[in-house]
Amino acid sequence: MTRAASAVLLVALLGGCARPGILRLSLRGHTSSKALATLVAEGEVRVAQQQRFEAMMNRDVVALDTLIDEELTYVPGKGSIQSRTEFLDAIKKRSTVYDSIAAHDVRVRVYHGLALATGRAEQRVRDAKGSSKVTVRFTEIYVRREGRWLLSAWEAKRVAS
């Protein structure tokens, strides 16, 4: 089964369009439950990433608190290292304001309770030095805890736009 066909099947499954018997027949011999679980996990990580970006742009510290791991290490494009507390404080105190975040070319790989995502993001950021538009290449690690994907590490490097 192609990746596109798997995605359509997943949408049908999540949308309640597929009856269980039909789903079992369509999966028999084409893909394993492991492949389907991986596809679902990749989608969940993408949703968690988008929710986090939205919370960062909206300065929603309450939502961010539920989306990041207790042991977060955050390394933005400028190279500083922030703990979870430092990251949340920067958002709460508006010392860093994310006006926009647009991720592109995101690739997610899932490994037994860990997920690695890589991609590129265009960000409009304001801080004490002023406003800037930056493009970064990023690597992020998610951990699965209590049925949810939480950001555990983010590292970015600025690149030319």
Side-chain angles (χ1 to χ4, degrees):
M1 181 179 285
T2 68
R3 189 171 182 94
S6 296
V8 169
L9 181 60
L10 179 61
V11 169
L13 174 65
L14 295 176
C17 299
R19 292 186 312 227
I22 293 172
L23 179 63
R24 274 194 299 277
L25 289 174
S26 65
L27 291 177
R28 193 175 296 138
H30 293 287
T31 187
S32 68
S33 60
K34 182 179 177 183
L36 185 58
T38 298
L39 197 60
V40 168
E42 288 174 6
E44 290 172 345
V45 169
R46 289 175 190 276
V47 168
Q49 180 189 67
Q50 186 58 43
Q51 289 174 336
R52 181 175 51 83
F53 288 160
E54 290 291 328
M56 289 168 66
M57 290 183 290
N58 293 324
R59 294 171 294 287
D60 187 347
V61 179
V62 174
L64 278 172
D65 188 52
T66 68
L67 298 167
I68 60 176
D69 189 45
E70 290 294 326
E71 298 179 26
L72 175 71
T73 301
Y74 195 84
V75 183
K78 57 190 171 199
S80 61
I81 298 174
Q82 295 176 325
S83 68
R84 178 184 202 278
T85 301
E86 292 166 329
F87 172 73
L88 289 173
D89 282 348
I91 300 290
K92 187 185 328 182
K93 294 176 181 175
R94 296 181 176 220
S95 55
T96 304
V97 176
Y98 293 90
D99 291 320
S100 67
I101 305 170
H104 305 281
D105 307 323
V106 176
R107 181 171 179 220
V108 177
R109 288 154 288 197
V110 177
Y111 307 99
H112 307 290
L114 291 175
L116 173 69
T118 56
R120 182 173 54 85
E122 295 171 1
Q123 304 173 332
R124 287 191 188 276
V125 183
R126 285 183 281 139
D127 59 19
K129 297 177 184 174
S131 181
S132 60
K133 180 181 176 189
V134 297
T135 301
V136 298
R137 290 258 177 224
F138 66 84
T139 300
E140 50 187 8
I141 298 172
Y142 289 84
V143 294
R144 183 116 174 131
R145 297 199 199 280
E146 299 176 12
R148 299 185 23 218
W149 290 102
L150 303 174
L151 180 71
S152 184
W154 161 279
E155 185 162 355
K157 177 164 180 53
R158 289 184 184 201
V159 296
S161 299

